[in-house]
Amino acid sequence: MQRNGLRENQSALFSFLSERHVNVKCVSHLHATMEIVLVTEGILHMTISKTEYDIPAGYGVLVAPFEVHSFHSASPNHCHVLAFSKEMVRHFFEFVKGNVPTSHLFAVSKAAMRLSEELLPQSSNTADYMRAEAVLAPLCYDAWRGCCFEERETPFDDTVARSLEYVNGHFYEDTSLESVARAVGVHPVTLSKIFSRHTGVGFQRYLQYRRCEHAARLIKTTDASFSQIAYESGFGSIRSFNRAFQAVYGQTPTEYKDAMNIV
């Protein structure tokens, strides 16, 4: 089943994403990509792998692949979120592949912060890879120098990364554990065990989150009806959409839209 109207560019999203937020809030989620969050004003509260951080302006956090994290805005803040795949920073990825951060917080050098402001000034940017690489190199160095790391006990499993990549590109279809297992070449039971072991969440929970995340983005940025949003996000009915959205966000789609002050 193909859905075209409101579908986002998944290949661009997987490689590089730059977004600026004010007082950002986001439920617990995870990525196959790495993520660096820079705080430019105020204090941002985040939870990463069950550790809570109050991140002041001038600091950042590194979120490694498969780390569950969430954003909270107890006080006013501005932040810059950079999500990027291994193709953007090969050498740094190889380091993170064998080492996991035990402290995610790091001081951002003035030079790196200035580059992010000058080269990625827009609220959203997914295409300019030359600029992205120029920004990411000094930030990854700051993270490598400032965060604390320890050797991974469980080897980094590429099957999970390929599974997440597949889900990110096909969540709007009739995607299931079985279809993803076929795509990555493993048995569904094996994929389920690997997925839960490496991410800490079940496959169905992640698929539900990914669909609701896309739906929430459409609610905030379009005037599409809830029925169209449900269809474009991979839900079979408006009832299943409402039930899943409330389970993920703690609000119905209508309540979420009202809270965003969207008319």
Side-chain angles (χ1 to χ4, degrees):
M1 174 171 26
Q2 293 295 322
R3 294 170 164 86
N4 297 313
L6 303 175
R7 181 155 36 107
E8 62 195 24
N9 185 331
Q10 294 301 322
S11 60
L13 179 64
F14 181 69
S15 295
F16 174 70
L17 176 66
S18 166
E19 290 188 338
R20 296 184 182 274
H21 299 279
V22 177
N23 303 334
V24 62
K25 293 183 179 180
C26 188
V27 295
S28 296
H29 61 288
L30 56 88
H31 310 288
T33 56
M34 286 176 281
E35 190 168 282
I36 288 178
V37 181
L38 308 176
V39 179
T40 55
E41 292 183 30
I43 299 176
L44 172 66
H45 184 73
M46 283 187 70
T47 301
I48 308 173
S49 297
K50 299 182 180 180
T51 300
E52 296 188 358
Y53 294 93
D54 288 314
I55 312 158
Y59 280 75
V61 291
L62 169 69
V63 183
F66 315 142
E67 287 196 301
V68 177
H69 57 288
S70 58
F71 293 83
H72 315 276
S73 294
S75 59
N77 62 77
H78 290 217
C79 72
H80 186 184
V81 178
L82 299 166
F84 48 99
S85 60
K86 60 185 179 182
E87 290 81 7
M88 304 294 295
V89 287
R90 281 285 183 182
H91 294 292
F92 184 66
F93 175 79
E94 287 303 317
F95 173 77
V96 174
K97 187 175 180 180
N99 299 273
V100 62
T102 56
S103 175
H104 300 76
L105 186 68
F106 65 93
V108 181
S109 64
K110 291 182 179 180
M113 190 69 82
R114 185 171 63 251
L115 279 173
S116 72
E117 295 291 338
E118 293 178 353
L119 298 183
L120 300 171
Q122 300 92 348
S123 60
S124 180
N125 184 311
T126 59
D128 194 336
Y129 299 116
M130 292 294 288
R131 293 172 185 258
E133 289 177 338
V135 171
L136 290 174
L139 285 175
C140 288
Y141 174 76
D142 286 346
W144 172 77
R145 183 182 61 180
C147 295
C148 297
F149 295 88
E150 65 179 16
E151 188 174 351
R152 289 184 181 273
E153 295 182 1
T154 303
F156 201 90
D157 197 317
D158 187 58
T159 300
V160 180
R162 290 186 289 118
S163 300
L164 288 176
E165 182 181 0
Y166 184 88
V167 171
N168 288 344
H170 297 270
F171 65 84
Y172 47 84
E173 301 174 358
D174 293 326
T175 302
S176 64
L177 177 66
E178 288 73 21
S179 64
V180 176
R182 285 195 300 270
V184 300
V186 298
H187 192 278
V189 174
T190 301
L191 177 60
S192 179
K193 291 179 179 179
I194 294 174
F195 198 96
S196 297
R197 183 169 69 247
H198 284 269
T199 68
V201 298
F203 173 83
Q204 290 299 332
R205 180 179 175 84
Y206 177 76
L207 177 61
Q208 177 175 269
Y209 166 77
R210 188 65 187 89
R211 287 171 169 167
C212 288
E213 180 189 41
H214 183 61
R217 184 185 295 269
L218 295 180
I219 291 173
K220 290 188 289 185
T221 59
T222 75
D223 59 358
S225 68
F226 287 146
S227 295
Q228 185 180 6
I229 288 173
Y231 176 77
E232 293 284 349
S233 301
F235 292 99
S237 68
I238 189 69
R239 182 179 180 182
S240 62
F241 168 52
N242 288 333
R243 185 169 58 247
F245 197 93
Q246 184 153 19
V248 171
Y249 284 93
Q251 297 174 303
T252 65
T254 300
E255 292 169 340
Y256 183 86
K257 184 173 183 176
D258 290 342
M260 294 294 104
N261 295 316
I262 298 175
V263 297

